[in-house]
Amino acid sequence: MLNAATHYSIDYPDLSLILALVRGGTLARAAALLRVDVSTVFRAVRRLEAALGQTLFEKSRAGYLPTSLASNLAQQAERAEQALEAARVGVEQGGEVISGTVRLTCTDSVLQGLLLPALAQFMPQYPALTLELSMSNDFANLSRRDADIALRLTRTPPEHLVGRRVGSVAYQVFASPGFARQHAGRELADLPWIAPDDFLPDHPTVAWRREHLPGVRPSYRCNSMLSVTELVRAGLGVAALPDFLLDEGLQPLGPALAGHDTALWLLTRPDCRALRSVVTLFDELGRYLRLP
C-alpha cells in the first residue's frame, strides 16, 4: 500500500475534499460544503485513501475524525484556498492583492475599545487578508513567535520588539450612571470595588488603589479588564478603568489618576518587517487606531 502513495500526485480537488470533511466532521456536512451528495463524498474519500495508501479519517460515533495526515493536509488546503481567493480578488480588482494570515494579540479591553472600531474602517479593503486574534497580556506571545503584531498598554515595551507609540492612556474611577446617583456623596473607600484578580498584579489601577485606598478590599475580582468593565456597567460597584472604554454606560467619578497613566504601543518582531501582510496591517492600525 505504501507504494501507491509514491505514484499518486495529490491535487486541489483532493485537498478540498479533505478540508470539507475536516470542517464538516460528517459526510452530510462535507457534502453540503462541496455541493454534492453524500455517496459522492464517501466514494471520493475511499478512493483517495486507497491512492495514498494511508488512512485519512477514523469513523466514530462523533463522525469522521481526521488523522494527523488529514489535519496537516487540511492546513495546506486552507493555505491553497486563501491563495486562490487572493488570485480571484486580484483579477477582480486588476492589481496586486495583499493576502496571507497575520496573527495579532491584544487584551480584551483593547480589542473592544480600540481595535474593533479600527478594523471596521479598513479590513473590508483587504478581502484576501486573514486575521487571527488572540487575547493575552503577555509580551511573550511575540517573543515565542505565537503572534506577528501586538497591541500593548505599557510605558516600556521590550527592547527586542519594534513599533510605535500610538498615544497615552489615562485611567479614571468609573461607575454606572444609576450607581453614581444612588451613592452620590459617599467616599470612594466606602463603595464596593471591582478589580482585576492576580493575573495583573502590577496593573496601574491596582497600584493606584493600593497607594490611595489601602484599606479597600474589592467585592469582585475578575480575570479580565473587560469583565471588570461589564460589572461596572451592570451597577455592581466602581472600578478604575482606561479612558478609552468610556461610553454612555459609564460615568467618571473624578479626574484621571495622576501619575498612573500608560501608553498604547503597536509592536512587531524585527523579522516581520519583511512580510507585506504584516507591514500592511501594522501601517493601517497605526493610521486608524484612535485614542480619546
Side-chain angles (χ1 to χ4, degrees):
M1 293 182 69
L2 290 177
N3 289 336
T6 62
H7 298 291
Y8 185 78
S9 178
I10 197 164
D11 57 16
Y12 186 75
D14 296 330
L15 292 178
S16 297
L17 170 69
I18 295 169
L19 183 58
L21 195 48
V22 168
R23 286 173 171 171
T26 67
L27 291 175
R29 286 197 286 266
L33 290 171
L34 294 170
R35 298 180 181 178
V36 298
D37 57 50
V38 171
S39 61
T40 299
V41 176
F42 178 76
R43 290 193 300 269
V45 172
R46 293 289 298 273
R47 282 197 300 267
L48 182 57
E49 288 183 329
L52 294 175
Q54 300 188 56
T55 300
L56 294 172
F57 294 90
E58 301 288 348
K59 185 69 171 67
S60 75
R61 291 181 180 179
Y64 277 69
L65 302 178
T67 63
S68 59
L69 173 60
S71 296
N72 290 334
L73 290 173
Q75 293 178 9
Q76 298 295 329
E78 286 187 326
R79 295 190 184 98
E81 185 180 64
Q82 291 169 2
L84 183 58
E85 178 61 21
R88 288 170 177 161
V89 173
V91 170
E92 292 172 1
Q93 296 183 351
E96 190 174 9
V97 175
I98 303 298
S99 64
T101 298
V102 181
R103 299 164 299 170
L104 188 150
T105 178
C106 66
T107 65
D108 53 4
S109 59
V110 169
L111 171 72
Q112 187 70 28
L114 297 173
L115 180 59
L116 292 182
L119 293 178
Q121 294 185 70
F122 69 82
M123 278 301 286
Q125 303 172 34
Y126 300 98
L129 186 62
T130 301
L131 183 59
E132 293 183 356
L133 294 172
S134 171
M135 302 304 102
S136 170
N137 294 284
D138 189 6
F139 279 115
N141 281 63
L142 267 72
S143 303
R144 294 193 307 264
R145 300 177 182 268
D146 293 337
D148 306 308
I149 295 176
L151 278 168
R152 287 290 179 258
L153 294 171
T154 181
R155 287 185 173 182
T156 54
E159 293 183 359
H160 65 278
L161 301 178
V162 295
R164 67 179 68 165
R165 186 179 184 275
V166 178
S168 297
V169 175
Y171 294 89
Q172 292 178 265
V173 177
F174 289 103
S176 69
F179 185 95
R181 287 192 299 270
Q182 182 181 355
H183 298 277
R186 292 183 63 186
E187 296 294 328
L188 288 178
D190 298 329
L191 299 174
W193 275 77
I194 305 163
D197 61 18
D198 293 338
F199 87 104
L200 285 177
D202 301 318
H203 195 270
T205 63
V206 175
W208 178 88
R209 194 185 72 248
R210 288 173 177 168
E211 178 181 343
H212 294 275
L213 303 171
V216 165
R217 295 294 177 266
S219 301
Y220 304 90
R221 291 183 180 272
C222 305
N223 64 356
S224 78
M225 288 303 295
L226 190 58
S227 298
V228 172
T229 306
E230 292 306 315
L231 265 67
V232 174
R233 286 197 180 103
L236 295 175
V238 301
L241 299 168
D243 55 2
F244 59 76
L245 291 176
L246 177 61
D247 59 24
E248 63 274 5
L250 297 173
Q251 178 176 322
L253 299 184
L257 309 183
H260 291 273
D261 58 327
T262 187
L264 179 68
W265 283 83
L266 179 58
L267 301 164
T268 188
R269 304 191 313 271
D271 60 290
C272 285
R273 291 182 294 182
L275 302 174
R276 292 189 66 247
S277 56
V278 174
V279 171
T280 298
L281 182 62
F282 190 94
D283 290 343
E284 293 286 39
L285 287 172
R287 185 177 299 114
Y288 284 98
L289 282 169
R290 293 289 181 268
L291 288 168

mmCIF file of all heavy atoms in Angstrom, residues 209-234:
data_model
loop_
_atom_site.group_PDB
_atom_site.id
_atom_site.type_symbol
_atom_site.label_atom_id
_atom_site.label_comp_id
_atom_site.label_asym_id
_atom_site.label_seq_id
_atom_site.Cartn_x
_atom_site.Cartn_y
_atom_site.Cartn_z
ATOM 1 N N ARG A 209 -4.855 51.981 43.549
ATOM 2 C CA ARG A 209 -5.760 51.659 44.654
ATOM 3 C C ARG A 209 -4.985 51.298 45.917
ATOM 4 O O ARG A 209 -5.353 51.709 47.032
ATOM 5 C CB ARG A 209 -6.669 50.494 44.253
ATOM 6 C CG ARG A 209 -7.866 50.324 45.197
ATOM 7 C CD ARG A 209 -8.690 49.106 44.865
ATOM 8 N NE ARG A 209 -8.016 47.878 45.227
ATOM 9 C CZ ARG A 209 -7.549 46.976 44.364
ATOM 10 N NH1 ARG A 209 -7.708 47.175 43.063
ATOM 11 N NH2 ARG A 209 -6.933 45.891 44.783
ATOM 12 N N ARG A 210 -3.908 50.558 45.764
ATOM 13 C CA ARG A 210 -3.102 50.199 46.936
ATOM 14 C C ARG A 210 -2.459 51.429 47.565
ATOM 15 O O ARG A 210 -2.278 51.496 48.782
ATOM 16 C CB ARG A 210 -2.033 49.189 46.530
ATOM 17 C CG ARG A 210 -2.590 47.802 46.238
ATOM 18 C CD ARG A 210 -1.518 46.890 45.675
ATOM 19 N NE ARG A 210 -2.031 45.542 45.450
ATOM 20 C CZ ARG A 210 -1.394 44.615 44.755
ATOM 21 N NH1 ARG A 210 -0.202 44.896 44.211
ATOM 22 N NH2 ARG A 210 -1.927 43.420 44.592
ATOM 23 N N GLU A 211 -2.128 52.407 46.717
ATOM 24 C CA GLU A 211 -1.482 53.620 47.219
ATOM 25 C C GLU A 211 -2.477 54.563 47.884
ATOM 26 O O GLU A 211 -2.193 55.125 48.959
ATOM 27 C CB GLU A 211 -0.788 54.332 46.057
ATOM 28 C CG GLU A 211 -0.102 55.639 46.442
ATOM 29 C CD GLU A 211 0.545 56.316 45.244
ATOM 30 O OE1 GLU A 211 0.751 55.649 44.215
ATOM 31 O OE2 GLU A 211 0.823 57.546 45.351
ATOM 32 N N HIS A 212 -3.643 54.760 47.274
ATOM 33 C CA HIS A 212 -4.596 55.764 47.752
ATOM 34 C C HIS A 212 -5.739 55.194 48.593
ATOM 35 O O HIS A 212 -6.332 55.922 49.399
ATOM 36 C CB HIS A 212 -5.181 56.526 46.553
ATOM 37 C CG HIS A 212 -4.172 57.349 45.822
ATOM 38 N ND1 HIS A 212 -3.833 58.636 46.200
ATOM 39 C CD2 HIS A 212 -3.391 57.059 44.740
ATOM 40 C CE1 HIS A 212 -2.914 59.111 45.380
ATOM 41 N NE2 HIS A 212 -2.626 58.179 44.482
ATOM 42 N N LEU A 213 -6.060 53.924 48.410
ATOM 43 C CA LEU A 213 -7.147 53.305 49.170
ATOM 44 C C LEU A 213 -6.669 51.964 49.717
ATOM 45 O O LEU A 213 -7.202 50.899 49.370
ATOM 46 C CB LEU A 213 -8.387 53.107 48.288
ATOM 47 C CG LEU A 213 -8.970 54.362 47.624
ATOM 48 C CD1 LEU A 213 -10.042 53.979 46.608
ATOM 49 C CD2 LEU A 213 -9.537 55.311 48.674
ATOM 50 N N PRO A 214 -5.653 51.991 50.569
ATOM 51 C CA PRO A 214 -5.038 50.728 51.011
ATOM 52 C C PRO A 214 -5.982 49.825 51.802
ATOM 53 O O PRO A 214 -5.757 48.613 51.875
ATOM 54 C CB PRO A 214 -3.855 51.192 51.877
ATOM 55 C CG PRO A 214 -4.234 52.571 52.329
ATOM 56 C CD PRO A 214 -5.007 53.165 51.205
ATOM 57 N N GLY A 215 -7.029 50.400 52.373
ATOM 58 C CA GLY A 215 -7.942 49.585 53.173
ATOM 59 C C GLY A 215 -9.038 48.911 52.372
ATOM 60 O O GLY A 215 -9.787 48.080 52.906
ATOM 61 N N VAL A 216 -9.132 49.245 51.097
ATOM 62 C CA VAL A 216 -10.212 48.694 50.271
ATOM 63 C C VAL A 216 -9.916 47.238 49.904
ATOM 64 O O VAL A 216 -8.820 46.911 49.463
ATOM 65 C CB VAL A 216 -10.410 49.537 48.992
ATOM 66 C CG1 VAL A 216 -11.267 48.769 47.978
ATOM 67 C CG2 VAL A 216 -11.054 50.856 49.334
ATOM 68 N N ARG A 217 -10.913 46.389 50.098
ATOM 69 C CA ARG A 217 -10.840 45.006 49.635
ATOM 70 C C ARG A 217 -11.938 44.805 48.594
ATOM 71 O O ARG A 217 -13.122 44.888 48.920
ATOM 72 C CB ARG A 217 -11.050 44.027 50.803
ATOM 73 C CG ARG A 217 -9.952 44.079 51.853
ATOM 74 C CD ARG A 217 -8.620 43.599 51.259
ATOM 75 N NE ARG A 217 -7.530 43.698 52.233
ATOM 76 C CZ ARG A 217 -6.711 44.732 52.331
ATOM 77 N NH1 ARG A 217 -6.864 45.769 51.495
ATOM 78 N NH2 ARG A 217 -5.748 44.749 53.221
ATOM 79 N N PRO A 218 -11.576 44.612 47.341
ATOM 80 C CA PRO A 218 -12.596 44.528 46.283
ATOM 81 C C PRO A 218 -13.683 43.501 46.572
ATOM 82 O O PRO A 218 -13.404 42.401 47.066
ATOM 83 C CB PRO A 218 -11.779 44.139 45.049
ATOM 84 C CG PRO A 218 -10.403 44.641 45.340
ATOM 85 C CD PRO A 218 -10.214 44.449 46.810
ATOM 86 N N SER A 219 -14.899 43.878 46.250
ATOM 87 C CA SER A 219 -16.031 42.960 46.401
ATOM 88 C C SER A 219 -16.083 41.954 45.264
ATOM 89 O O SER A 219 -16.659 40.865 45.405
ATOM 90 C CB SER A 219 -17.337 43.756 46.435
ATOM 91 O OG SER A 219 -17.349 44.683 47.501
ATOM 92 N N TYR A 220 -15.513 42.321 44.110
ATOM 93 C CA TYR A 220 -15.496 41.453 42.942
ATOM 94 C C TYR A 220 -14.100 41.480 42.333
ATOM 95 O O TYR A 220 -13.505 42.542 42.194
ATOM 96 C CB TYR A 220 -16.495 41.916 41.875
ATOM 97 C CG TYR A 220 -17.919 42.031 42.357
ATOM 98 C CD1 TYR A 220 -18.384 43.232 42.891
ATOM 99 C CD2 TYR A 220 -18.795 40.966 42.273
ATOM 100 C CE1 TYR A 220 -19.691 43.358 43.336
ATOM 101 C CE2 TYR A 220 -20.110 41.083 42.705
ATOM 102 C CZ TYR A 220 -20.551 42.282 43.232
ATOM 103 O OH TYR A 220 -21.851 42.399 43.656
ATOM 104 N N ARG A 221 -13.609 40.299 41.961
ATOM 105 C CA ARG A 221 -12.337 40.200 41.243
ATOM 106 C C ARG A 221 -12.583 39.450 39.939
ATOM 107 O O ARG A 221 -13.249 38.423 39.931
ATOM 108 C CB ARG A 221 -11.287 39.473 42.088
ATOM 109 C CG ARG A 221 -10.826 40.255 43.307
ATOM 110 C CD ARG A 221 -9.742 39.497 44.039
ATOM 111 N NE ARG A 221 -9.275 40.213 45.213
ATOM 112 C CZ ARG A 221 -8.299 41.110 45.199
ATOM 113 N NH1 ARG A 221 -7.698 41.382 44.045
ATOM 114 N NH2 ARG A 221 -7.924 41.721 46.294
ATOM 115 N N CYS A 222 -12.017 39.976 38.859
ATOM 116 C CA CYS A 222 -12.241 39.399 37.533
ATOM 117 C C CYS A 222 -10.908 39.088 36.859
ATOM 118 O O CYS A 222 -9.899 39.734 37.141
ATOM 119 C CB CYS A 222 -13.033 40.361 36.651
ATOM 120 S SG CYS A 222 -14.612 40.896 37.367
ATOM 121 N N ASN A 223 -10.947 38.125 35.942
ATOM 122 C CA ASN A 223 -9.697 37.741 35.255
ATOM 123 C C ASN A 223 -9.487 38.480 33.952
ATOM 124 O O ASN A 223 -8.658 38.094 33.146
ATOM 125 C CB ASN A 223 -9.658 36.232 35.015
ATOM 126 C CG ASN A 223 -10.754 35.764 34.076
ATOM 127 O OD1 ASN A 223 -11.598 36.551 33.657
ATOM 128 N ND2 ASN A 223 -10.742 34.487 33.752
ATOM 129 N N SER A 224 -10.240 39.568 33.725
ATOM 130 C CA SER A 224 -10.004 40.415 32.565
ATOM 131 C C SER A 224 -10.558 41.802 32.842
ATOM 132 O O SER A 224 -11.540 41.958 33.585
ATOM 133 C CB SER A 224 -10.657 39.837 31.313
ATOM 134 O OG SER A 224 -12.050 40.097 31.291
ATOM 135 N N MET A 225 -9.942 42.817 32.228
ATOM 136 C CA MET A 225 -10.414 44.184 32.422
ATOM 137 C C MET A 225 -11.764 44.396 31.757
ATOM 138 O O MET A 225 -12.562 45.215 32.207
ATOM 139 C CB MET A 225 -9.391 45.181 31.869
ATOM 140 C CG MET A 225 -8.132 45.297 32.696
ATOM 141 S SD MET A 225 -8.439 45.766 34.428
ATOM 142 C CE MET A 225 -9.111 47.431 34.232
ATOM 143 N N LEU A 226 -12.038 43.662 30.692
ATOM 144 C CA LEU A 226 -13.349 43.795 30.063
ATOM 145 C C LEU A 226 -14.442 43.281 30.993
ATOM 146 O O LEU A 226 -15.526 43.861 31.067
ATOM 147 C CB LEU A 226 -13.380 43.042 28.739
ATOM 148 C CG LEU A 226 -14.604 43.301 27.859
ATOM 149 C CD1 LEU A 226 -14.745 44.786 27.527
ATOM 150 C CD2 LEU A 226 -14.530 42.484 26.575
ATOM 151 N N SER A 227 -14.153 42.209 31.732
ATOM 152 C CA SER A 227 -15.120 41.713 32.709
ATOM 153 C C SER A 227 -15.329 42.722 33.826
ATOM 154 O O SER A 227 -16.462 42.933 34.292
ATOM 155 C CB SER A 227 -14.637 40.378 33.290
ATOM 156 O OG SER A 227 -14.535 39.393 32.288
ATOM 157 N N VAL A 228 -14.248 43.362 34.264
ATOM 158 C CA VAL A 228 -14.374 44.426 35.266
ATOM 159 C C VAL A 228 -15.313 45.508 34.748
ATOM 160 O O VAL A 228 -16.213 45.979 35.458
ATOM 161 C CB VAL A 228 -12.986 45.023 35.598
ATOM 162 C CG1 VAL A 228 -13.132 46.261 36.483
ATOM 163 C CG2 VAL A 228 -12.108 43.985 36.281
ATOM 164 N N THR A 229 -15.117 45.894 33.496
ATOM 165 C CA THR A 229 -15.941 46.948 32.893
ATOM 166 C C THR A 229 -17.410 46.553 32.850
ATOM 167 O O THR A 229 -18.298 47.364 33.147
ATOM 168 C CB THR A 229 -15.439 47.248 31.466
ATOM 169 O OG1 THR A 229 -14.051 47.551 31.506
ATOM 170 C CG2 THR A 229 -16.186 48.416 30.859
ATOM 171 N N GLU A 230 -17.691 45.310 32.472
ATOM 172 C CA GLU A 230 -19.081 44.860 32.374
ATOM 173 C C GLU A 230 -19.764 44.840 33.734
ATOM 174 O O GLU A 230 -20.955 45.161 33.843
ATOM 175 C CB GLU A 230 -19.139 43.474 31.729
ATOM 176 C CG GLU A 230 -18.733 43.463 30.263
ATOM 177 C CD GLU A 230 -19.537 44.454 29.437
ATOM 178 O OE1 GLU A 230 -20.779 44.512 29.602
ATOM 179 O OE2 GLU A 230 -18.932 45.189 28.637
ATOM 180 N N LEU A 231 -19.039 44.497 34.793
ATOM 181 C CA LEU A 231 -19.636 44.532 36.135
ATOM 182 C C LEU A 231 -19.941 45.960 36.553
ATOM 183 O O LEU A 231 -20.955 46.228 37.209
ATOM 184 C CB LEU A 231 -18.703 43.863 37.146
ATOM 185 C CG LEU A 231 -18.991 42.371 37.417
ATOM 186 C CD1 LEU A 231 -18.699 41.539 36.174
ATOM 187 C CD2 LEU A 231 -18.151 41.867 38.595
ATOM 188 N N VAL A 232 -19.065 46.894 36.162
ATOM 189 C CA VAL A 232 -19.334 48.306 36.468
ATOM 190 C C VAL A 232 -20.576 48.764 35.716
ATOM 191 O O VAL A 232 -21.460 49.431 36.292
ATOM 192 C CB VAL A 232 -18.120 49.185 36.106
ATOM 193 C CG1 VAL A 232 -18.457 50.666 36.277
ATOM 194 C CG2 VAL A 232 -16.918 48.820 36.965
ATOM 195 N N ARG A 233 -20.682 48.432 34.452
ATOM 196 C CA ARG A 233 -21.855 48.813 33.662
ATOM 197 C C ARG A 233 -23.141 48.241 34.256
ATOM 198 O O ARG A 233 -24.210 48.838 34.154
ATOM 199 C CB ARG A 233 -21.713 48.329 32.216
ATOM 200 C CG ARG A 233 -20.725 49.115 31.382
ATOM 201 C CD ARG A 233 -20.948 48.849 29.900
ATOM 202 N NE ARG A 233 -20.002 49.586 29.077
ATOM 203 C CZ ARG A 233 -18.930 49.061 28.498
ATOM 204 N NH1 ARG A 233 -18.664 47.782 28.656
ATOM 205 N NH2 ARG A 233 -18.123 49.800 27.770
ATOM 206 N N ALA A 234 -23.035 47.077 34.879
ATOM 207 C CA ALA A 234 -24.201 46.433 35.480
ATOM 208 C C ALA A 234 -24.603 47.068 36.808
ATOM 209 O O ALA A 234 -25.612 46.675 37.388
ATOM 210 C CB ALA A 234 -23.930 44.945 35.674
#
